[in-house]
């Protein structure tokens, strides 16, 4: 099978162009395309392998507690921490891109299910707009909490902030794709997401 080129996390792909992810009726433009994600400040993530530390036996902080408080749970691989330091620090630098891909898909699913002529500003869209287009707000309905290393990629665990809810997002890691080696594969209860799902999004 020929793998599609991964453009899911390329936030610079449509700068100075009509945004392929949003209809032209949105006059404010696409903040995703300008990298306006709540996790866009790379300096708040631990990207230096030497500064990583193992806490609570299996947790590694990918960002400072005072900032985003995102941790990686090594689970039964805690004894591999020293070996995994370079990979973990590199993963920390990808958090913004992974979260952006997840929010793009979130937005895509809402638009896909929207009835003809219906308003796009539903519950999911509301979260997307407040998280990506504007600054984070204290009552956002979910936030990234824990990251896990999987056999073929990574899993992001999101927790509800207004109601007791939880869902995960999984990415496949493909080393051959140097520009963006992560492919979105699962979002909540949606499985087997194809490589080119965002290509379909461009048709909305």
């Amino acid at each position: 099978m020929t793998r599609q080129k991964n453009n899911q996390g390329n936030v610079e792909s449509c700068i100075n162009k009509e945004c392929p992810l949003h209809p032209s009726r949105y006059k404010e433009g696409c903040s995703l395309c300008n990298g306006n994600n709540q996790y866009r400040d790379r300096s708040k993530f631990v990207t230096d392998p030497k500064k990583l530390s193992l806490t609570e036996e299996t947790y590694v902080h990918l960002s400072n507690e005072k900032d985003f408080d995102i941790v990686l749970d090594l689970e039964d691989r805690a004894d591999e921490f020293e070996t995994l330091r370079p990979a973990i620090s590199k993963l920390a630098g990808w958090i913004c891109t992974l979260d952006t891909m997840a929010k793009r898909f979130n937005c895509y699913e809402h638009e896909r299910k929207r009835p003809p002529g219906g308003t796009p500003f539903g519950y999911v869209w509301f979260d997307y707009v407040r998280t990506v287009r504007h600054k984070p707000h204290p009552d956002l309905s979910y936030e990234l909490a824990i990251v896990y290393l999987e056999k073929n990629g990574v899993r992001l665990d999101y927790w509800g902030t207004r109601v007791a809810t939880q869902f995960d997002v999984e990415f496949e890691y493909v080393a051959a794709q140097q520009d963006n080696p992560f492919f979105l594969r699962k979002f909540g209860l949606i499985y087997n997401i194809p490589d080119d799902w965002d290509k379909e999004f461009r048709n909305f």
Side-chain angles (χ1 to χ4, degrees), residues 67-136:
D67 295 321
F68 308 124
D69 195 21
I70 299 173
V71 299
L72 171 72
D73 189 350
L74 288 175
E75 300 180 293
D76 58 354
R77 300 184 64 182
D79 58 340
E80 301 177 46
F81 172 63
E82 292 300 329
T83 304
L84 292 171
R85 276 180 183 271
I88 295 172
S89 61
K90 187 175 294 186
L91 174 61
W94 278 98
I95 292 299
C96 177
T97 299
L98 297 180
D99 183 71
T100 296
M101 279 193 274
K103 288 183 171 66
R104 279 183 168 183
F105 186 80
N106 192 351
C107 182
Y108 158 72
E109 276 296 293
H110 180 75
E111 281 290 295
R112 186 175 67 84
K113 296 177 180 179
R114 180 169 61 93
T119 174
F121 293 96
Y123 186 78
V124 177
W125 182 266
F126 175 81
D127 288 339
Y128 166 79
V129 169
R130 300 190 77 165
T131 306
V132 181
R133 183 170 290 178
H134 303 299
K135 294 181 179 179

Side-chain angles (χ1 to χ4, degrees), residues 3-204:
R3 183 172 294 279
Q4 299 284 338
K5 180 176 174 60
N6 190 4
N7 291 318
Q8 298 174 21
N10 184 3
V11 294
E12 297 179 354
S13 62
C14 51
I15 291 179
N16 299 324
K17 301 177 184 178
E18 180 180 354
C19 174
L21 296 177
H22 305 98
S24 58
R25 62 179 176 273
Y26 300 117
K27 303 299 184 182
E28 296 179 29
C30 175
S31 294
L32 269 179
C33 304
N34 293 298
N36 190 20
N37 181 288
Q38 70 187 98
Y39 303 126
R40 67 186 180 277
D41 188 350
R42 187 183 173 90
S43 67
K44 294 182 178 180
F45 289 91
V46 185
T47 56
D48 183 346
K50 297 179 181 178
K51 295 182 179 180
L52 292 170
S53 59
L54 195 62
T55 61
E56 299 181 36
E57 297 185 356
T58 64
Y59 283 174
V60 180
H61 278 274
L62 300 182
S63 64
N64 297 321
E65 291 185 64
K66 64 180 181 180
D67 295 321
F68 308 124
D69 195 21
I70 299 173
V71 299
L72 171 72
D73 189 350
L74 288 175
E75 300 180 293
D76 58 354
R77 300 184 64 182
D79 58 340
E80 301 177 46
F81 172 63
E82 292 300 329
T83 304
L84 292 171
R85 276 180 183 271
I88 295 172
S89 61
K90 187 175 294 186
L91 174 61
W94 278 98
I95 292 299
C96 177
T97 299
L98 297 180
D99 183 71
T100 296
M101 279 193 274
K103 288 183 171 66
R104 279 183 168 183
F105 186 80
N106 192 351
C107 182
Y108 158 72
E109 276 296 293
H110 180 75
E111 281 290 295
R112 186 175 67 84
K113 296 177 180 179
R114 180 169 61 93
T119 174
F121 293 96
Y123 186 78
V124 177
W125 182 266
F126 175 81
D127 288 339
Y128 166 79
V129 169
R130 300 190 77 165
T131 306
V132 181
R133 183 170 290 178
H134 303 299
K135 294 181 179 179
H137 192 276
D139 66 356
L140 283 173
S141 65
Y142 61 85
E143 63 184 8
L144 178 57
I146 304 178
V147 179
Y148 298 89
L149 296 178
E150 298 293 318
K151 181 178 181 180
N152 297 315
V154 296
R155 172 164 54 94
L156 275 55
D157 203 12
Y158 286 87
W159 292 359
T161 56
R162 288 186 291 181
V163 295
T165 185
Q166 183 176 349
F167 68 94
D168 58 4
V169 178
E170 294 182 4
F171 296 88
E172 177 188 5
Y173 179 80
V174 181
Q177 292 284 331
Q178 296 183 358
D179 56 339
N180 182 2
F182 293 97
F183 286 79
L184 181 62
R185 290 292 178 247
K186 176 180 179 291
F187 186 97
L189 297 177
I190 304 173
Y191 294 80
N192 302 317
I193 299 172
D195 293 354
D196 59 349
W197 65 265
D198 64 334
K199 181 179 179 181
E200 180 182 349
F201 200 0
R202 295 165 187 258
N203 295 325
F204 283 109

